[in-house]
Amino acid sequence: MIGKIFKNGILAAAAFAALASTAQAGGYSRGEADTDILFESGDFIFRAGATYVSPRRAFKTTGGTANHDGVYSNDYWIPSVAAKIGISENFACALTYTQPFGADATYGPQARAAMVGLGKYSDKGFETNEYGATCDVKFDVGPGKIHFLGGVFLQDFTYDATNEGGLLPAGKFHLRDDGAFGYRIGAAYEITEYALRVSLMYRSEVKHEADEGYYDFTTLPIPTRSATGYGTLPQSLKLSVQTGVAPGWLVYGSVKWTDWSVLDTLNYTITGLGANKDVYNWKDGWTLQAGVAHVFNEKLTGTVNLTWDSGVSTGADIHGDTITLGAGILAKVGPGDLRFGGGITRMSSGSQSIAKGATFDATGGGGWAYGVTGSYKISF
């Protein structure tokens, strides 16, 4: 039977989907919590890994003239840790950690010269950490099992920027929210004999209230000012499907909707300097993926996939469509499973304008992004 080819967790296509991606999802999406570990065989499973992404975004023009600043989007790492505990034959829970959202940019002199508004920012970025617990209860239904999943997570938020001057004197800007709660719920149906699984997972939005902020003036003898801010990071819904199609072969795919339109602005107030905001005005994003995996032998499995992500920009930045080709392998190494993959992403060109909320007029000529990822799993 097809299912025997995939026994003992040799092939976990849902995990491969993330493995062979360069994390070039729309907006500021980065990692996903590894809740797929709940579907893997074993009462005690631990998996840890990381993904390295080099986005390579650059401006073609800024302020109407050719830009020679080079790449402004910084490389980054996405950690992922997951541990499954089987409590009974039909009930298990997983503890997970990842960084679901983030951004990191360093702007050159030509981009800073074109900026209007309060500051001439040399760098801006934010980071989130998600600590989650998700449980799965399953029942026999027909030839397979139905799963009901649910859990909560704590997500923090940190935002930093460096202003080199402008209407606001030069300084360091910092906002932090130690954590806000969200939840995820889902359902799945699987028939192990055919390596068939259909799952639907919802992740809630998170509203952040950053009340541990400050603006520290770096060139003037002015006391540090306190700052506060708020914004919402999006909810999402993901449908995933996988099935065996022949001995040793499996196909998989997914469709994900992310409510990026909820992030129209990041609002903040610096004491004594009034209320301000970073404008995004994004539209909702869609991510579609399709792939195929093959078991070569008992110790080696491989996969390739193609991912398309819709751009979310409406003119306040140059976040356009992306297409990613990814590949990965799973190998039995030592007492566990080693997963390694990589991908290359083509980014479309785009444009932004002050009239649509940007801090400067610019165009982006498209480009390439690269990523590699790896993880190791041990089962007890």
Side-chain angles (χ1 to χ4, degrees):
M1 291 293 184
I2 292 175
K4 293 182 179 179
I5 302 295
F6 305 103
K7 64 182 179 180
N8 299 324
I10 292 176
L11 183 58
F16 266 125
L19 173 71
S21 168
T22 57
Q24 285 298 305
Y28 292 142
S29 294
R30 287 193 174 177
E32 291 186 3
D34 184 7
T35 56
D36 289 321
I37 200 171
L38 289 165
F39 296 108
E40 299 186 25
S41 300
D43 289 333
F44 300 96
I45 305 174
F46 177 79
R47 179 160 53 227
T51 300
Y52 177 76
V53 181
S54 182
R56 314 301 296 170
R57 290 187 182 274
F59 294 115
K60 185 176 181 180
T61 66
T62 49
T65 61
N67 183 282
H68 304 289
D69 288 337
V71 173
Y72 71 86
S73 55
N74 297 328
D75 298 355
Y76 58 89
W77 287 90
I78 308 169
S80 177
V81 179
K84 172 190 172 181
I85 302 172
I87 299 171
S88 69
E89 182 179 354
N90 294 314
F91 183 66
C93 292
L95 301 177
T96 58
Y97 164 72
T98 191
Q99 293 180 345
F101 306 106
D104 191 12
T106 300
Y107 299 107
Q110 286 184 279
R112 294 200 303 272
M115 293 178 184
V116 298
L118 283 180
K120 305 282 187 178
Y121 289 96
S122 60
D123 62 74
K124 276 188 175 184
F126 80 94
E127 181 178 276
T128 61
N129 294 282
E130 179 200 301
Y131 308 88
T134 305
C135 292
D136 168 36
V137 58
K138 58 186 178 182
F139 305 96
D140 292 329
V141 176
K145 293 182 180 293
I146 189 168
H147 298 253
F148 295 101
L149 303 100
V152 297
F153 59 86
L154 178 70
Q155 178 176 290
D156 63 22
F157 173 89
T158 304
Y159 177 96
D160 287 287
T162 301
N163 176 26
E164 301 293 345
L167 297 179
L168 185 66
K172 299 281 189 178
F173 183 41
H174 173 80
L175 290 173
R176 178 168 176 81
D177 178 3
D178 284 334
F181 284 98
Y183 65 92
R184 56 170 49 89
I185 55 173
Y189 185 74
E190 64 176 348
I191 303 176
T192 305
E193 183 179 5
Y194 302 107
L196 170 69
R197 184 194 308 150
V198 180
S199 64
L200 185 67
M201 181 70 79
Y202 170 80
R203 184 186 190 275
S204 72
E205 70 178 24
V206 178
K207 296 182 178 180
H208 285 288
E209 297 282 346
D211 55 7
E212 299 179 22
Y214 60 82
Y215 191 90
D216 185 13
F217 298 93
T218 55
T219 58
L220 295 178
I222 301 176
T224 297
R225 303 290 179 88
S226 62
T228 59
Y230 64 93
T232 302
L233 288 170
Q235 62 183 333
S236 62
L237 183 67
K238 184 176 183 179
L239 173 68
S240 302
V241 180
Q242 68 175 61
T243 184
V245 292
W249 290 91
L250 181 142
V251 295
Y252 58 89
S254 64
V255 178
K256 182 179 181 181
W257 165 78
T258 306
D259 184 23
W260 278 115
S261 59
V262 75
L263 184 63
D264 50 356
T265 59
L266 169 66
N267 303 276
Y268 58 91
T269 299
I270 302 172
T271 301
L273 299 174
N276 294 283
K277 59 187 177 183
D278 287 352
V279 177
Y280 304 102
N281 289 336
W282 280 346
K283 59 185 178 181
D284 291 354
W286 290 89
T287 307
L288 282 68
Q289 185 179 76
V292 59
H294 179 58
V295 177
F296 296 103
N297 53 52
E298 288 293 321
K299 291 189 175 181
L300 185 65
T301 301
T303 183
V304 292
N305 59 38
L306 190 67
T307 304
W308 170 79
D309 192 278
S310 66
V312 296
S313 174
T314 60
D317 54 46
I318 59 172
H319 286 250
D321 296 4
T322 62
I323 298 178
T324 299
L325 176 65
I329 60 170
L330 183 152
K332 292 287 187 179
V333 178
D337 296 338
L338 173 68
R339 302 183 184 203
F340 182 80
I344 181 171
T345 299
R346 178 60 182 174
M347 300 179 292
S348 64
S349 59
S351 64
Q352 63 184 49
S353 67
I354 296 171
K356 294 184 177 180
T359 55
F360 58 98
D361 294 333
T363 61
W368 297 93
Y370 310 92
V372 293
T373 183
S375 68
Y376 194 75
K377 181 189 82 171
I378 298 178
S379 301
F380 302 94

PDB file of all heavy atoms in Angstrom, residues 85 129 155-156 184 207-208 212 216 244 348-349 361:
ATOM      1  N   ILE A  85       4.266  16.087  22.896  1.00  0.00           N
ATOM      2  CA  ILE A  85       4.101  15.157  24.009  1.00  0.00           C
ATOM      3  C   ILE A  85       2.795  14.404  23.797  1.00  0.00           C
ATOM      4  O   ILE A  85       1.716  15.007  23.776  1.00  0.00           O
ATOM      5  CB  ILE A  85       4.068  15.890  25.357  1.00  0.00           C
ATOM      6  CG1 ILE A  85       5.357  16.701  25.547  1.00  0.00           C
ATOM      7  CG2 ILE A  85       3.890  14.895  26.502  1.00  0.00           C
ATOM      8  CD1 ILE A  85       5.329  17.598  26.770  1.00  0.00           C
ATOM      9  N   ASN A 129       8.266  37.518  18.613  1.00  0.00           N
ATOM     10  CA  ASN A 129       8.522  36.158  19.061  1.00  0.00           C
ATOM     11  C   ASN A 129       7.197  35.533  19.479  1.00  0.00           C
ATOM     12  O   ASN A 129       6.409  36.169  20.185  1.00  0.00           O
ATOM     13  CB  ASN A 129       9.487  36.145  20.251  1.00  0.00           C
ATOM     14  CG  ASN A 129      10.868  36.619  19.889  1.00  0.00           C
ATOM     15  OD1 ASN A 129      11.654  35.885  19.311  1.00  0.00           O
ATOM     16  ND2 ASN A 129      11.183  37.867  20.224  1.00  0.00           N
ATOM     17  N   GLN A 155       2.650  36.500  21.921  1.00  0.00           N
ATOM     18  CA  GLN A 155       3.480  37.143  20.906  1.00  0.00           C
ATOM     19  C   GLN A 155       3.955  38.497  21.408  1.00  0.00           C
ATOM     20  O   GLN A 155       3.145  39.346  21.803  1.00  0.00           O
ATOM     21  CB  GLN A 155       2.685  37.315  19.616  1.00  0.00           C
ATOM     22  CG  GLN A 155       3.440  38.014  18.489  1.00  0.00           C
ATOM     23  CD  GLN A 155       2.626  38.059  17.217  1.00  0.00           C
ATOM     24  OE1 GLN A 155       2.391  37.047  16.569  1.00  0.00           O
ATOM     25  NE2 GLN A 155       2.166  39.253  16.860  1.00  0.00           N
ATOM     26  N   ASP A 156       5.275  38.711  21.409  1.00  0.00           N
ATOM     27  CA  ASP A 156       5.793  40.023  21.790  1.00  0.00           C
ATOM     28  C   ASP A 156       6.121  40.834  20.541  1.00  0.00           C
ATOM     29  O   ASP A 156       6.028  40.334  19.409  1.00  0.00           O
ATOM     30  CB  ASP A 156       6.993  39.902  22.732  1.00  0.00           C
ATOM     31  CG  ASP A 156       8.194  39.209  22.092  1.00  0.00           C
ATOM     32  OD1 ASP A 156       8.288  39.179  20.849  1.00  0.00           O
ATOM     33  OD2 ASP A 156       9.059  38.705  22.832  1.00  0.00           O
ATOM     34  N   ARG A 184      -5.069  29.771  18.015  1.00  0.00           N
ATOM     35  CA  ARG A 184      -5.212  29.069  16.739  1.00  0.00           C
ATOM     36  C   ARG A 184      -6.148  27.888  16.938  1.00  0.00           C
ATOM     37  O   ARG A 184      -6.143  27.231  17.988  1.00  0.00           O
ATOM     38  CB  ARG A 184      -3.859  28.613  16.178  1.00  0.00           C
ATOM     39  CG  ARG A 184      -3.026  27.740  17.090  1.00  0.00           C
ATOM     40  CD  ARG A 184      -1.818  27.147  16.352  1.00  0.00           C
ATOM     41  NE  ARG A 184      -1.059  28.110  15.606  1.00  0.00           N
ATOM     42  CZ  ARG A 184      -0.044  28.832  16.085  1.00  0.00           C
ATOM     43  NH1 ARG A 184       0.313  28.677  17.359  1.00  0.00           N
ATOM     44  NH2 ARG A 184       0.605  29.667  15.335  1.00  0.00           N
ATOM     45  N   LYS A 207      -3.353  42.263  18.661  1.00  0.00           N
ATOM     46  CA  LYS A 207      -3.299  43.708  18.816  1.00  0.00           C
ATOM     47  C   LYS A 207      -2.230  44.055  19.842  1.00  0.00           C
ATOM     48  O   LYS A 207      -2.276  43.611  20.981  1.00  0.00           O
ATOM     49  CB  LYS A 207      -4.659  44.246  19.262  1.00  0.00           C
ATOM     50  CG  LYS A 207      -5.752  44.035  18.228  1.00  0.00           C
ATOM     51  CD  LYS A 207      -7.077  44.626  18.699  1.00  0.00           C
ATOM     52  CE  LYS A 207      -8.155  44.445  17.627  1.00  0.00           C
ATOM     53  NZ  LYS A 207      -9.464  45.017  18.049  1.00  0.00           N
ATOM     54  N   HIS A 208      -1.256  44.848  19.403  1.00  0.00           N
ATOM     55  CA  HIS A 208      -0.139  45.207  20.279  1.00  0.00           C
ATOM     56  C   HIS A 208      -0.300  46.624  20.822  1.00  0.00           C
ATOM     57  O   HIS A 208      -0.654  47.549  20.082  1.00  0.00           O
ATOM     58  CB  HIS A 208       1.181  45.098  19.529  1.00  0.00           C
ATOM     59  CG  HIS A 208       1.639  43.688  19.321  1.00  0.00           C
ATOM     60  ND1 HIS A 208       2.112  42.908  20.350  1.00  0.00           N
ATOM     61  CD2 HIS A 208       1.690  42.917  18.206  1.00  0.00           C
ATOM     62  CE1 HIS A 208       2.440  41.713  19.877  1.00  0.00           C
ATOM     63  NE2 HIS A 208       2.190  41.700  18.579  1.00  0.00           N
ATOM     64  N   GLU A 212       6.326  50.600  26.430  1.00  0.00           N
ATOM     65  CA  GLU A 212       7.680  50.691  26.976  1.00  0.00           C
ATOM     66  C   GLU A 212       8.607  51.329  25.948  1.00  0.00           C
ATOM     67  O   GLU A 212       9.648  50.777  25.585  1.00  0.00           O
ATOM     68  CB  GLU A 212       8.192  49.295  27.354  1.00  0.00           C
ATOM     69  CG  GLU A 212       7.357  48.596  28.416  1.00  0.00           C
ATOM     70  CD  GLU A 212       7.909  47.217  28.729  1.00  0.00           C
ATOM     71  OE1 GLU A 212       9.110  46.985  28.469  1.00  0.00           O
ATOM     72  OE2 GLU A 212       7.148  46.382  29.231  1.00  0.00           O
ATOM     73  N   ASP A 216      15.481  58.668  22.211  1.00  0.00           N
ATOM     74  CA  ASP A 216      16.718  59.110  22.836  1.00  0.00           C
ATOM     75  C   ASP A 216      17.475  60.004  21.858  1.00  0.00           C
ATOM     76  O   ASP A 216      17.991  59.536  20.837  1.00  0.00           O
ATOM     77  CB  ASP A 216      17.568  57.880  23.210  1.00  0.00           C
ATOM     78  CG  ASP A 216      18.824  58.250  23.973  1.00  0.00           C
ATOM     79  OD1 ASP A 216      18.926  59.410  24.423  1.00  0.00           O
ATOM     80  OD2 ASP A 216      19.697  57.374  24.116  1.00  0.00           O
ATOM     81  N   GLY A 244      -0.725  10.544  -1.282  1.00  0.00           N
ATOM     82  CA  GLY A 244       0.104   9.665  -2.070  1.00  0.00           C
ATOM     83  C   GLY A 244      -0.556   9.400  -3.406  1.00  0.00           C
ATOM     84  O   GLY A 244      -1.777   9.292  -3.502  1.00  0.00           O
ATOM     85  N   SER A 348       8.973  40.774  -7.921  1.00  0.00           N
ATOM     86  CA  SER A 348       8.517  41.651  -8.996  1.00  0.00           C
ATOM     87  C   SER A 348       8.897  43.101  -8.702  1.00  0.00           C
ATOM     88  O   SER A 348       9.201  43.475  -7.575  1.00  0.00           O
ATOM     89  CB  SER A 348       7.000  41.545  -9.158  1.00  0.00           C
ATOM     90  OG  SER A 348       6.339  42.001  -7.994  1.00  0.00           O
ATOM     91  N   SER A 349       8.884  43.923  -9.737  1.00  0.00           N
ATOM     92  CA  SER A 349       9.156  45.348  -9.579  1.00  0.00           C
ATOM     93  C   SER A 349       7.945  46.034  -8.965  1.00  0.00           C
ATOM     94  O   SER A 349       6.833  45.499  -8.960  1.00  0.00           O
ATOM     95  CB  SER A 349       9.482  45.975 -10.934  1.00  0.00           C
ATOM     96  OG  SER A 349       8.401  45.801 -11.830  1.00  0.00           O
ATOM     97  N   ASP A 361       9.217  59.080  -2.695  1.00  0.00           N
ATOM     98  CA  ASP A 361       8.899  58.457  -3.983  1.00  0.00           C
ATOM     99  C   ASP A 361      10.042  57.525  -4.380  1.00  0.00           C
ATOM    100  O   ASP A 361      11.218  57.873  -4.250  1.00  0.00           O
ATOM    101  CB  ASP A 361       8.729  59.529  -5.064  1.00  0.00           C
ATOM    102  CG  ASP A 361       7.521  60.428  -4.825  1.00  0.00           C
ATOM    103  OD1 ASP A 361       6.558  59.953  -4.182  1.00  0.00           O
ATOM    104  OD2 ASP A 361       7.554  61.590  -5.269  1.00  0.00           O
TER     105      ASP A 361
END
